[in-house]
Amino acid sequence: MMQSDSTCEPTTRAREFPFAELSARDGRFRKLYSRYQLGPLPSSDIRSEDVQQVLEQLVEVSRNSGSKWPLSVREVGRSFEGRTIQLASIGRGDCHVLLWTQMHGDESTHTSVAFALLNTLVRAPESLDGDGQLLDRCTLHVLPMLNPDGAQRQTRENAQDLDINRDAVALDTPEGNVLRNVVRELRPAFGFNLHNQRADKKVEGSDRVAILSVLAPPLDEADRETPSILRARQLALEMFACGERFLPGHSTRYEAGYMPTAFGEWVQAQGTSTVLLEAGGWVDDAPGTREELHYVTLLTALAAICEGELAGVDAGAYLSLPLNQ
Ligand SMILES: [Zn+2]
């Protein structure tokens, strides 16, 4: 019987992972991506109906497979124009992890990545980690496409012309209310706030495109440090390192001040260790695709959470990561 891990503190001491070993794991995750990616691509073509269809199909596959980690899907709310917003959950661990994608309607990369992640967890859950215990330790909740009306129009804002990511306090949008309710209900230990940044963002002091940027949103103006936010910084560092192994010199820390009306800040303040992940522009001769990089990065983050790898990461290094320009 698995021992439960309600605080999500590492169950094993941090291990020293040599670069070669991590690269080998990246390679394994990349093979999983090529096997389990789902359309439609480009991800900007994904609409609310596609999300519903993919989730329905995955529930069916999961049911027929008799997996000990069945996928469940439920409606958690509706958009301003009445489109359904669904939450997919898989796993039976006490460590709850929440990912939400596309709160900006024209930022679709991670919705496609979320499909691939869920497809992998449904069809090949044991292939993720050596001991097959990720879904015993964690329960993963995915909210793909929080802003289906914006996705329909390919706009950042929702159908009220409001930016959901500036609505964490006013709560004028139905979509913002959905996210807030889900966070309040699940009280996740970890949160992933998934976005696309402008394609012309560069790594500071260089001409290199920033293909991956991370941010542990601050708790307040004074940037107060708590165990929860230090864990978020450790996680951000793991994700940054994954980007650097994929294409050295093209990952950054996302530069942003404290924004009390943004959801990253609000979720962080709930005690959920939260990381903002931005997919950036692309380098044509990069080894793979944007979706593949972000799939591998999120799998790496999940592995770090459930394998106890965060314990050995020096959170202080977060502040010296290269910034966007
Ligand atoms: Zn965004």
PDB file of all heavy atoms in Angstrom, residues 3 6 51 73 103 109 129 155 178 197 213 221-222 230 238-239 280:
ATOM      1  N   GLN A   3       2.124   4.826   0.904  1.00  0.00           N
ATOM      2  CA  GLN A   3       1.887   5.717   2.032  1.00  0.00           C
ATOM      3  C   GLN A   3       1.382   7.050   1.494  1.00  0.00           C
ATOM      4  O   GLN A   3       1.815   7.508   0.446  1.00  0.00           O
ATOM      5  CB  GLN A   3       3.153   5.892   2.861  1.00  0.00           C
ATOM      6  CG  GLN A   3       4.211   6.769   2.222  1.00  0.00           C
ATOM      7  CD  GLN A   3       5.484   6.746   3.025  1.00  0.00           C
ATOM      8  OE1 GLN A   3       6.385   5.981   2.768  1.00  0.00           O
ATOM      9  NE2 GLN A   3       5.530   7.587   4.026  1.00  0.00           N
ATOM     10  N   SER A   6       0.041  13.710   2.333  1.00  0.00           N
ATOM     11  CA  SER A   6      -0.954  14.763   2.211  1.00  0.00           C
ATOM     12  C   SER A   6      -0.331  16.144   2.091  1.00  0.00           C
ATOM     13  O   SER A   6      -0.926  17.059   1.568  1.00  0.00           O
ATOM     14  CB  SER A   6      -1.902  14.718   3.402  1.00  0.00           C
ATOM     15  OG  SER A   6      -1.157  14.842   4.592  1.00  0.00           O
ATOM     16  N   VAL A  51     -12.518  20.274 -27.313  1.00  0.00           N
ATOM     17  CA  VAL A  51     -12.170  19.925 -25.931  1.00  0.00           C
ATOM     18  C   VAL A  51     -13.169  18.888 -25.403  1.00  0.00           C
ATOM     19  O   VAL A  51     -12.791  17.860 -24.844  1.00  0.00           O
ATOM     20  CB  VAL A  51     -12.169  21.177 -25.018  1.00  0.00           C
ATOM     21  CG1 VAL A  51     -11.921  20.786 -23.566  1.00  0.00           C
ATOM     22  CG2 VAL A  51     -11.127  22.185 -25.493  1.00  0.00           C
ATOM     23  N   VAL A  73     -14.406  13.301 -15.703  1.00  0.00           N
ATOM     24  CA  VAL A  73     -14.600  14.639 -16.274  1.00  0.00           C
ATOM     25  C   VAL A  73     -15.933  15.180 -15.784  1.00  0.00           C
ATOM     26  O   VAL A  73     -16.923  14.449 -15.757  1.00  0.00           O
ATOM     27  CB  VAL A  73     -14.596  14.585 -17.822  1.00  0.00           C
ATOM     28  CG1 VAL A  73     -14.989  15.931 -18.415  1.00  0.00           C
ATOM     29  CG2 VAL A  73     -13.221  14.171 -18.344  1.00  0.00           C
ATOM     30  N   MET A 103      -6.625  30.694 -20.457  1.00  0.00           N
ATOM     31  CA  MET A 103      -7.489  31.733 -19.887  1.00  0.00           C
ATOM     32  C   MET A 103      -7.449  32.960 -20.793  1.00  0.00           C
ATOM     33  O   MET A 103      -8.357  33.794 -20.744  1.00  0.00           O
ATOM     34  CB  MET A 103      -7.111  32.037 -18.435  1.00  0.00           C
ATOM     35  CG  MET A 103      -5.827  32.764 -18.216  1.00  0.00           C
ATOM     36  SD  MET A 103      -5.372  32.770 -16.449  1.00  0.00           S
ATOM     37  CE  MET A 103      -6.862  33.383 -15.692  1.00  0.00           C
ATOM     38  N   THR A 109      -1.323  26.914 -26.926  1.00  0.00           N
ATOM     39  CA  THR A 109      -0.305  25.843 -26.937  1.00  0.00           C
ATOM     40  C   THR A 109      -0.569  24.791 -25.859  1.00  0.00           C
ATOM     41  O   THR A 109      -0.532  23.583 -26.120  1.00  0.00           O
ATOM     42  CB  THR A 109       1.110  26.446 -26.733  1.00  0.00           C
ATOM     43  OG1 THR A 109       1.403  27.256 -27.866  1.00  0.00           O
ATOM     44  CG2 THR A 109       2.169  25.363 -26.592  1.00  0.00           C
ATOM     45  N   ASP A 129       7.039   7.153 -14.951  1.00  0.00           N
ATOM     46  CA  ASP A 129       8.118   7.089 -13.973  1.00  0.00           C
ATOM     47  C   ASP A 129       8.464   5.629 -13.735  1.00  0.00           C
ATOM     48  O   ASP A 129       7.684   4.738 -14.025  1.00  0.00           O
ATOM     49  CB  ASP A 129       7.708   7.787 -12.664  1.00  0.00           C
ATOM     50  CG  ASP A 129       6.372   7.298 -12.137  1.00  0.00           C
ATOM     51  OD1 ASP A 129       5.682   6.570 -12.871  1.00  0.00           O
ATOM     52  OD2 ASP A 129       6.015   7.626 -11.005  1.00  0.00           O
ATOM     53  N   THR A 155      -9.312  35.771 -29.341  1.00  0.00           N
ATOM     54  CA  THR A 155      -8.972  37.006 -28.624  1.00  0.00           C
ATOM     55  C   THR A 155      -8.449  36.644 -27.243  1.00  0.00           C
ATOM     56  O   THR A 155      -8.784  35.597 -26.689  1.00  0.00           O
ATOM     57  CB  THR A 155     -10.213  37.902 -28.416  1.00  0.00           C
ATOM     58  OG1 THR A 155     -11.220  37.146 -27.705  1.00  0.00           O
ATOM     59  CG2 THR A 155     -10.778  38.372 -29.738  1.00  0.00           C
ATOM     60  N   VAL A 178     -15.278  30.528 -12.104  1.00  0.00           N
ATOM     61  CA  VAL A 178     -15.076  29.076 -12.221  1.00  0.00           C
ATOM     62  C   VAL A 178     -13.706  28.693 -11.653  1.00  0.00           C
ATOM     63  O   VAL A 178     -13.588  27.779 -10.824  1.00  0.00           O
ATOM     64  CB  VAL A 178     -15.180  28.621 -13.703  1.00  0.00           C
ATOM     65  CG1 VAL A 178     -14.664  27.190 -13.866  1.00  0.00           C
ATOM     66  CG2 VAL A 178     -16.610  28.727 -14.201  1.00  0.00           C
ATOM     67  N   GLN A 197       3.426  33.772 -24.442  1.00  0.00           N
ATOM     68  CA  GLN A 197       3.885  35.154 -24.439  1.00  0.00           C
ATOM     69  C   GLN A 197       4.168  35.594 -25.873  1.00  0.00           C
ATOM     70  O   GLN A 197       4.159  34.783 -26.794  1.00  0.00           O
ATOM     71  CB  GLN A 197       5.136  35.304 -23.585  1.00  0.00           C
ATOM     72  CG  GLN A 197       6.345  34.554 -24.111  1.00  0.00           C
ATOM     73  CD  GLN A 197       7.514  34.567 -23.137  1.00  0.00           C
ATOM     74  OE1 GLN A 197       7.468  35.199 -22.110  1.00  0.00           O
ATOM     75  NE2 GLN A 197       8.565  33.839 -23.476  1.00  0.00           N
ATOM     76  N   SER A 213       9.355  30.544 -20.606  1.00  0.00           N
ATOM     77  CA  SER A 213       9.588  31.453 -19.491  1.00  0.00           C
ATOM     78  C   SER A 213       8.768  31.007 -18.291  1.00  0.00           C
ATOM     79  O   SER A 213       7.635  30.536 -18.449  1.00  0.00           O
ATOM     80  CB  SER A 213       9.209  32.885 -19.876  1.00  0.00           C
ATOM     81  OG  SER A 213       9.973  33.299 -21.003  1.00  0.00           O
ATOM     82  N   GLU A 221       3.664  42.880  -2.519  1.00  0.00           N
ATOM     83  CA  GLU A 221       4.592  43.900  -3.015  1.00  0.00           C
ATOM     84  C   GLU A 221       6.008  43.673  -2.481  1.00  0.00           C
ATOM     85  O   GLU A 221       6.994  43.910  -3.167  1.00  0.00           O
ATOM     86  CB  GLU A 221       4.080  45.281  -2.560  1.00  0.00           C
ATOM     87  CG  GLU A 221       4.471  46.430  -3.447  1.00  0.00           C
ATOM     88  CD  GLU A 221       3.627  46.497  -4.720  1.00  0.00           C
ATOM     89  OE1 GLU A 221       2.395  46.621  -4.626  1.00  0.00           O
ATOM     90  OE2 GLU A 221       4.236  46.426  -5.799  1.00  0.00           O
ATOM     91  N   ALA A 222       6.091  43.197  -1.239  1.00  0.00           N
ATOM     92  CA  ALA A 222       7.398  43.024  -0.591  1.00  0.00           C
ATOM     93  C   ALA A 222       8.065  41.701  -0.970  1.00  0.00           C
ATOM     94  O   ALA A 222       9.162  41.407  -0.509  1.00  0.00           O
ATOM     95  CB  ALA A 222       7.227  43.104   0.923  1.00  0.00           C
ATOM     96  N   LEU A 230       8.646  29.308  -1.896  1.00  0.00           N
ATOM     97  CA  LEU A 230       9.989  28.766  -2.166  1.00  0.00           C
ATOM     98  C   LEU A 230       9.882  27.462  -2.955  1.00  0.00           C
ATOM     99  O   LEU A 230      10.672  27.191  -3.855  1.00  0.00           O
ATOM    100  CB  LEU A 230      10.763  28.562  -0.859  1.00  0.00           C
ATOM    101  CG  LEU A 230      11.138  29.869  -0.139  1.00  0.00           C
ATOM    102  CD1 LEU A 230      11.826  29.577   1.185  1.00  0.00           C
ATOM    103  CD2 LEU A 230      12.024  30.758  -1.019  1.00  0.00           C
ATOM    104  N   GLU A 238      13.292  23.835 -11.876  1.00  0.00           N
ATOM    105  CA  GLU A 238      13.299  22.536 -12.564  1.00  0.00           C
ATOM    106  C   GLU A 238      12.802  22.682 -13.999  1.00  0.00           C
ATOM    107  O   GLU A 238      13.318  22.045 -14.918  1.00  0.00           O
ATOM    108  CB  GLU A 238      12.397  21.543 -11.826  1.00  0.00           C
ATOM    109  CG  GLU A 238      12.937  21.024 -10.523  1.00  0.00           C
ATOM    110  CD  GLU A 238      14.069  20.036 -10.733  1.00  0.00           C
ATOM    111  OE1 GLU A 238      13.813  18.861 -10.999  1.00  0.00           O
ATOM    112  OE2 GLU A 238      15.231  20.489 -10.631  1.00  0.00           O
ATOM    113  N   MET A 239      11.776  23.505 -14.164  1.00  0.00           N
ATOM    114  CA  MET A 239      11.182  23.684 -15.495  1.00  0.00           C
ATOM    115  C   MET A 239      12.120  24.487 -16.397  1.00  0.00           C
ATOM    116  O   MET A 239      12.282  24.187 -17.582  1.00  0.00           O
ATOM    117  CB  MET A 239       9.817  24.356 -15.351  1.00  0.00           C
ATOM    118  CG  MET A 239       8.818  23.444 -14.619  1.00  0.00           C
ATOM    119  SD  MET A 239       7.401  24.323 -13.925  1.00  0.00           S
ATOM    120  CE  MET A 239       6.443  24.622 -15.399  1.00  0.00           C
ATOM    121  N   GLY A 280       6.841  30.628 -25.695  1.00  0.00           N
ATOM    122  CA  GLY A 280       7.243  31.824 -26.428  1.00  0.00           C
ATOM    123  C   GLY A 280       7.271  31.622 -27.922  1.00  0.00           C
ATOM    124  O   GLY A 280       6.576  30.760 -28.463  1.00  0.00           O
TER     125      GLY A 280
END
